[in-house]
Amino acid sequence: MYNLLKGKKGIIFGALNEHSIAWKTAERAKEEGAEFVLTNAPASIRMGQLEVLAKKTGSQIIPADATSIEDLENLVEKSVEILGGKIDFVLHSIGMSVNVRKGKPYTDPNYDFTTKGWDVSAVSFHKTMNVLFKKKAMNNWGSIVALTYMAAQRVFPDYNDMADNKAYLESIARSFGYYFGRDFKVRVNTISQSPTPTTAGNGVKGFDGFINFSEKMSPLGNATALECADYTISMFSDLTRKVTLQNLFHDGGFSNMGVSDAVMENFE
Ligand SMILES: NC(=O)c1ccc[n+]([C@@H]2O[C@H](COP(=O)([O-])OP(=O)(O)OC[C@H]3O[C@@H](n4cnc5c(N)ncnc54)[C@H](O)[C@@H]3O)[C@@H](O)[C@H]2O)c1
C-alpha cells in the first residue's frame, strides 16, 4: 500500500466482527505499517471474534468498558507499555442505545436506558480523551477520530436517541479538540459515515429501507465500511495534520442532497 502509518502506534476501539468499521480500519492500519492495541467491552470480547483480528494483525487485546475510567486508565497505561511509546492515533468506534435495543419509542423512552446509551455512545469519548490528556499519552501531531451519523443534524425517526447521542459526541470532539490542539497539537474529528450493514447498523429499525434510500440519494452511492476505513487512515496519516474540530461527511454526497432522479422516479 502507501506506508501512510509507518512507525505509528494506535488504539482501536470497537471491532466486534469482520463487518465492523473498526475491524476494517485495523486491517487497513496494519497494511499501512501501524502497530496498535485492540480493545472492546469484555462482553464483546467474550464473543471470541476479536482474537482472529488480533492474530491477523499481530496485536494484543486489552479489554475496556469505555464507560469506566478505571478500565480506560488501565488500557492507556498498558498500550503505551506494549507499543513502547506514546500513542499517535485513536479510533472511537462505539455506539449502543438501550432504548433502540428494547424497542422503546423516541417519544417515550426509559430514561435510565437513555442515560446508559448516552454514556456508552457519547460520554465514553470524553472519558477516553480525559485519560489520554491527563496521562499525556498522545504524541504531538497525533489524531483522534470518532464515528458518527448525520442524524445528529437531520431527522431520521428510527435512529431514536442515538441522534441525540451523536450530536453530543460531535460537540465533545470540538470542545475537547480545542484543548488537545492547544496543548499537544493533537487533532480531534468525527467522521459521519453512510448507513453501513454492521451489527450496530442492522440494529436500527427499518435499516434495509434506510440504506437503499441513501444509496439512491447519494451521487456516489453509500460509502462502505472499507471505504470508511480508508478515509480514517488518511485522517491518522501525516497528510491531514491541520484538520481538526471538524465533522467530516463520508457519505457519497448524501448530506448535501435535496432529492435525486432515482428517488423522484418513485413519485412521478
Ligand atoms: N453502521 C452504520 O450504519 C453506521 C453509520 C454511521 C456511524 N456508525 C458508527 O460507527 C461506529 C461503529 O459501529 P459499527 O457500525 O462498526 O458497528 P459494530 O456493532 O460492529 O460496533 C459497535 C461497537 O461498540 C462496542 N461497544 C458497545 N458498548 C461498549 C462499551 N461499553 N465499551 C466499549 N465498546 C463498546 C461494541 O462491542 C462494538 O464493537 C459506531 O459509533 C456507530 O454509531 C455506524
Side-chain angles (χ1 to χ4, degrees):
M1 284 282 176
Y2 314 96
N3 269 332
L4 282 174
L5 304 186
K6 194 159 185 264
K8 292 199 187 292
K9 305 171 197 306
I11 300 177
I12 298 180
F13 288 79
L16 180 65
N17 54 40
E18 61 179 350
H19 305 293
S20 301
I21 298 168
W23 187 288
K24 308 277 186 214
T25 308
E27 289 180 330
R28 286 291 294 111
K30 175 72 184 169
E31 284 170 1
E32 294 297 338
E35 280 180 281
F36 46 83
V37 161
L38 296 167
T39 183
N40 210 325
S44 301
I45 292 174
R46 280 196 292 276
M47 293 168 89
Q49 303 202 41
L50 194 57
E51 286 287 348
V52 177
L53 181 65
K55 241 188 210 143
K56 193 172 174 192
T57 59
S59 311
Q60 292 199 39
I61 299 171
I62 302 178
D65 175 343
T67 64
S68 157
I69 289 281
E70 201 186 329
D71 283 11
L72 291 168
E73 283 176 344
N74 178 61
L75 167 69
V76 170
E77 277 162 27
K78 290 233 170 83
S79 298
V80 169
E81 214 174 280
I82 290 167
L83 299 169
K86 291 191 187 187
I87 308 301
D88 299 294
F89 66 87
V90 175
L91 176 65
H92 178 287
S93 186
I94 298 172
M96 194 274 302
S97 158
V98 192
N99 284 312
V100 168
R101 281 200 182 170
K102 306 268 188 195
K104 302 293 283 180
Y106 181 79
T107 48
D108 187 21
N110 171 318
Y111 289 108
D112 289 334
F113 295 171
T114 304
T115 306
K116 178 73 188 161
W118 167 75
D119 196 16
V120 170
S121 308
V123 184
S124 65
F125 191 40
H126 196 286
K127 289 176 175 171
T128 300
M129 288 197 280
N130 178 354
V131 171
L132 290 163
F133 195 86
K134 262 200 205 128
K135 290 190 178 297
K136 300 186 167 52
M138 293 292 297
N139 272 322
N140 282 3
W141 301 108
S143 174
I144 300 175
V145 167
L147 294 177
T148 186
Y149 183 57
M150 209 186 64
Q153 288 82 31
R154 311 250 172 109
V155 178
F156 292 85
D158 292 328
Y159 206 64
N160 207 311
D161 59 346
M162 277 305 289
D164 306 333
N165 294 336
K166 290 303 193 191
Y168 200 94
L169 178 87
E170 291 174 16
S171 180
I172 288 172
R174 287 185 293 271
S175 302
F176 219 130
Y178 166 70
Y179 297 100
F180 250 125
R182 186 192 69 182
D183 293 1
F184 298 108
K185 302 280 175 262
V186 166
R187 59 205 188 276
V188 182
N189 296 286
T190 48
I191 293 179
S192 187
Q193 163 69 4
S194 295
T196 315
T198 62
T199 305
N202 284 314
V204 178
K205 197 173 135 220
F207 185 75
D208 286 347
F210 209 40
I211 195 168
N212 291 336
F213 171 72
S214 164
E215 175 73 23
K216 287 212 154 122
M217 277 287 274
S218 315
L220 299 181
N222 289 327
T224 64
L226 181 58
E227 286 162 340
C228 186
D230 281 336
Y231 188 39
T232 305
I233 296 296
S234 79
M235 290 307 300
F236 290 158
S237 82
D238 289 333
L239 301 177
T240 54
R241 280 180 158 200
K242 288 283 170 82
V243 182
T244 196
L245 314 185
Q246 303 300 315
N247 180 43
L248 305 161
F249 288 102
H250 182 254
D251 63 358
F254 180 87
S255 46
N256 266 344
M257 289 299 295
V259 76
S260 67
D261 296 325
V263 169
M264 278 305 281
E265 270 171 22
N266 297 308
F267 299 95
E268 278 163 357

